[in-house]
Amino acid sequence: MDSFDLAKAPPEIRAYATPIILLNLYTNASWLYVYFGMVYRSVKDKSYAMPLYSQCLNIAWEITYGYIYGDDWMLFATFLVTFPTDCLVIWAAIYHGAKEWDRSPLVQRNLLWYYVIGTGIAVALHMCAASELGVEKAFFAGAIGCQAVLSVGYLGNLIQMGSTRGFSMHLWFFRFTGSLTLVPEFYLRVKYWPERFGFLGQPLMLWCCAVFLGFDLVYGILFWYIRRQERETGMLLADGRKRK
């Protein structure tokens, strides 16, 4: 995936090399902070925030493009940091968020296997996409698709739980802005490198971006509202769980 080497990019996009690098740095730093924050909140609240299937899709994306197809040292170095952190998120969800699955003992007792099997299936999905679309196109399309699924899943979790345990408002801010900063980068790639990245401006990719923006904004508003209600009614226990 030599498109990450901006020295090989057209002159028009090379003029924006510094903003693109800064946007990527913010994205990576923000998501690392969110990962560690989710581990902390899982341990503290005995809960989890990221849906199981999204965790499988995300870590499978990192395995596929960081280790199976990764051929860029900077990309590999990034995944070398994010992959273990993502593993910590899954560990916290299994060992500290299992109480959330009281309604489904079968899932509660076999969470580890759900993650193992789910990640294996997701890796196969990403590899099929890479085989059909090409590694580079599947890398970007997969990331956008995973983001859309993640945004829908987060909102669904919040509505289903009816509680803010496992997450926080400032983690939502860094999760949202950490993904949002990729939008201007993708715009620059579409505008100044269309022969390589024109597909990012096609309807399906734009739909995924709209889903991300819409659902994440609604999540932030609803999270703030539920959090305010919890504080006003004094319904939070010390571990972040709601009183019965």
Side-chain angles (χ1 to χ4, degrees):
M1 291 187 283
D2 57 0
S3 62
F4 288 96
D5 184 0
L6 292 177
K8 300 178 181 179
E12 294 83 2
I13 198 170
R14 287 205 303 270
Y16 295 94
T18 299
I20 288 175
I21 292 172
L22 291 175
L23 289 171
N24 272 278
L25 286 174
Y26 180 81
T27 295
N28 292 329
S30 295
W31 270 100
L32 272 178
Y33 178 77
V34 171
Y35 282 157
F36 282 115
M38 284 194 293
V39 173
Y40 170 76
R41 296 303 310 188
S42 288
V43 175
K44 183 177 185 296
D45 297 345
K46 301 297 184 289
S47 185
Y48 69 95
M50 186 182 291
L52 188 155
Y53 51 85
S54 287
Q55 292 182 60
C56 292
L57 283 171
N58 285 0
I59 201 166
W61 182 80
E62 293 174 355
I63 292 171
T64 303
Y65 299 105
Y67 301 103
I68 297 176
Y69 293 121
D71 57 2
D72 180 86
W73 73 268
M74 291 185 66
L75 192 63
F76 177 77
T78 300
F79 285 123
L80 203 59
V81 176
T82 59
F83 176 74
T85 313
D86 214 354
C87 289
L88 282 177
V89 174
I90 291 177
W91 166 81
I94 293 173
Y95 290 100
H96 297 282
K99 288 185 178 180
E100 297 289 359
W101 293 96
D102 289 343
R103 65 191 182 280
S104 181
L106 181 63
V107 176
Q108 188 180 51
R109 291 194 299 267
N110 297 282
L111 268 176
L112 176 61
W113 287 109
Y114 275 89
Y115 278 105
V116 170
I117 295 172
T119 301
I121 293 172
V123 167
L125 170 64
H126 287 304
M127 292 182 69
C128 288
S131 176
E132 182 171 334
L133 302 175
V135 174
E136 186 171 82
K137 183 178 289 188
F139 173 90
F140 285 96
I144 296 173
C146 285
Q147 179 62 64
V149 172
L150 179 67
S151 299
V152 173
Y154 259 107
L155 182 59
N157 255 18
L158 181 63
I159 294 173
Q160 184 273 323
M161 291 169 62
S163 169
T164 62
R165 60 184 180 268
F167 211 56
S168 68
M169 199 66 194
H170 75 275
L171 288 179
W172 165 81
F173 173 80
F174 284 106
R175 176 171 65 82
F176 177 62
T177 58
S179 296
L180 186 64
T181 49
L182 291 176
V183 174
E185 178 190 345
F186 289 174
Y187 170 77
L188 291 172
R189 288 181 180 273
V190 171
K191 183 176 178 62
Y192 296 113
W193 206 348
E195 65 276 8
R196 198 75 169 265
F197 293 101
F199 70 94
L200 292 175
Q202 292 178 353
L204 180 59
M205 296 293 96
L206 294 177
W207 180 85
C208 287
C209 286
V211 168
F212 149 63
L213 288 170
F215 277 78
D216 260 25
L217 286 172
V218 172
Y219 180 95
I221 295 169
L222 185 60
F223 188 96
W224 170 82
Y225 175 77
I226 293 175
R227 187 66 173 174
R228 189 184 69 172
Q229 294 296 107
E230 289 171 341
R231 287 173 173 169
E232 288 179 353
T233 57
M235 291 185 66
L236 285 183
L237 296 172
D239 66 356
R241 301 176 69 83
K242 294 183 72 172
R243 296 182 187 278
K244 300 296 184 181

